[in-house]
Amino acid sequence: MKPDLKVILSVEAVEPNLSGIGRYSLELARRMDMVEGVRDVRFYRNGRWITEPEKLLRSPLIGSQWQRWLRRRMPLIRDMGQRKTQRLGKSHLFHGPNFFLPEIGEGGVITVHDLSVLRYPEMHPEERLHYFDKEFSKSLGRAGHVITDSETTRLEVIETLSLKATDVTAVPLGVDSAFHPRSGGLLHKALERYDLRADEYALCVSTVEPRKRLAELLVAWEMLPSRIRGRWPLIVTGGSGWLSEKVHRLMDKGQREGWVRYLGYIPEADLPIFYAGARLFVYPSIYEGFGLPPIEAMASGTPTVVADASCLPEVTAGGAMLTRPEDPPIFALNLERALTDEQWRVAARTRGLAVAAGYSWQRCVESTVSVYRKLR
């Protein structure tokens, strides 16, 4: 019989405005100690121990997104010589769910969500590129095993980083039960706070950054017939990232003309309502490690269009329409069909719900613990 596992989980990505990696880290933190055979789970952030990761969701946000990203990683550079830290580093398996492992995590697990820094360096701030160049290889050298979010990313990581296939495992992410089809008065009442009505808008949930290809989406949306883009304006929600000036200029133009609205970051509690009320969900990203938003939209019963790129065909598994955002006229035609073709919409809703039902956070956490077992 194998001994009970003792785990240290890094939670530096958990903060009020959750990213996809933040959501992943939080779900691991919430569920890890409920898995059979896991006896002791500790949480680590910014060189200190956290007793309740949920409280991080109420911490004040200080500085820009990039400043917070870098500040969360500074403890990796400092000398972590505290006795307790050294002792727990030896007795517990350390999991860095956000690309990096500190020195105390020697022999532990890291999750590499994607290789966008290597594949698309022009789409990242220079400081981030410098930090990855300095620290990522060190973390890989410390790791006993690597987790990816999809098989597409797993194969890419093995080839690009010259890792052994047996040292890399794909563990798909999950979808929360809060994302499900909704209708009726409660849906309408919730959307009224944002001056929206169910089935009268399209939705894109995405950080505003180049690889998400929001510029291409806005160009295609403007190409739609005026009666269509007027009836179903595009709602964009998500944090304002980096290198986003062009996208904001396009959104400002669309907002003046009435066919797009940028709402910024939407509270977690409201996001399921936005998905369920949308006529269509669109996710044109050029590159993802998994892509949570399309699965959340499909689980909400919302017809979905994604880019035919990276892991999105694998993850959506036939539940979403695939398109090529780099070809605006074709993209616009696909958007028009997805908004107006009722036969396609009914089939897409059914397929999307079936695909999304196959993703579970509990299964994700249990599969993650199975990876730990390979090392302990």
Side-chain angles (χ1 to χ4, degrees), residues 293-309:
I295 301 303
E296 292 170 344
M298 290 158 59
S300 303
T302 301
T304 297
V305 174
V306 301
D308 188 4

Side-chain angles (χ1 to χ4, degrees), residues 193-211:
R193 300 201 308 271
Y194 294 92
D195 193 26
L196 293 172
R197 294 180 62 84
D199 204 46
E200 294 186 6
Y201 64 93
L203 179 66
C204 179
V205 176
S206 172
T207 304
V208 182
E209 59 176 275
R211 71 183 171 101

Side-chain angles (χ1 to χ4, degrees), residues 9 75-76 97 106 115 157 202 234 308 349:
L9 182 69
L76 294 176
E106 186 77 34
L115 295 178
V157 164
L234 176 65
D308 188 4
R349 186 177 295 111

Side-chain angles (χ1 to χ4, degrees), residues 211-268:
R211 71 183 171 101
K212 302 298 185 178
R213 290 203 287 200
L214 295 180
E216 287 83 348
L217 172 58
L218 292 164
V219 168
W221 209 269
E222 188 173 15
M223 295 176 70
L224 291 171
S226 58
R227 61 181 175 81
I228 290 178
R229 68 173 187 265
R231 181 176 179 183
W232 292 297
L234 176 65
I235 306 300
V236 180
T237 77
S240 182
W242 44 89
L243 303 175
S244 58
E245 294 80 7
K246 177 183 178 181
V247 174
H248 282 291
R249 286 197 300 270
L250 289 169
M251 286 197 290
D252 288 343
K253 178 178 183 294
Q255 287 189 134
R256 290 193 300 270
E257 296 174 358
W259 50 267
V260 66
R261 284 174 59 191
Y262 175 56
L263 299 183
Y265 187 85
I266 295 298
E268 284 287 305

Side-chain angles (χ1 to χ4, degrees), residues 19-36:
S19 64
I21 298 176
R23 165 60 60 191
Y24 168 67
S25 302
L26 182 61
E27 294 295 342
L28 290 177
R30 283 172 169 171
R31 301 167 188 269
M32 188 66 67
D33 63 0
M34 294 186 290
V35 178
E36 184 178 358

Side-chain angles (χ1 to χ4, degrees), residues 72 115 125 133 139 149 154 171 219 223 228 253 257 282 318 323:
R72 291 196 299 265
L115 295 178
D133 184 57
S139 291
D149 302 334
R154 175 180 174 270
V171 178
V219 168
M223 295 176 70
I228 290 178
K253 178 178 183 294
E257 296 174 358
V282 189
T323 191

Side-chain angles (χ1 to χ4, degrees), residues 256-324:
R256 290 193 300 270
E257 296 174 358
W259 50 267
V260 66
R261 284 174 59 191
Y262 175 56
L263 299 183
Y265 187 85
I266 295 298
E268 284 287 305
D270 291 347
L271 199 52
I273 300 294
F274 270 77
Y275 280 120
R279 173 78 174 180
L280 178 69
F281 181 78
V282 189
Y283 201 71
S285 178
I286 191 174
Y287 183 73
E288 293 291 322
F290 184 83
L292 269 176
I295 301 303
E296 292 170 344
M298 290 158 59
S300 303
T302 301
T304 297
V305 174
V306 301
D308 188 4
S310 186
C311 68
L312 292 174
E314 173 199 339
V315 172
T316 57
M321 180 189 293
L322 303 180
T323 191
R324 298 185 64 196

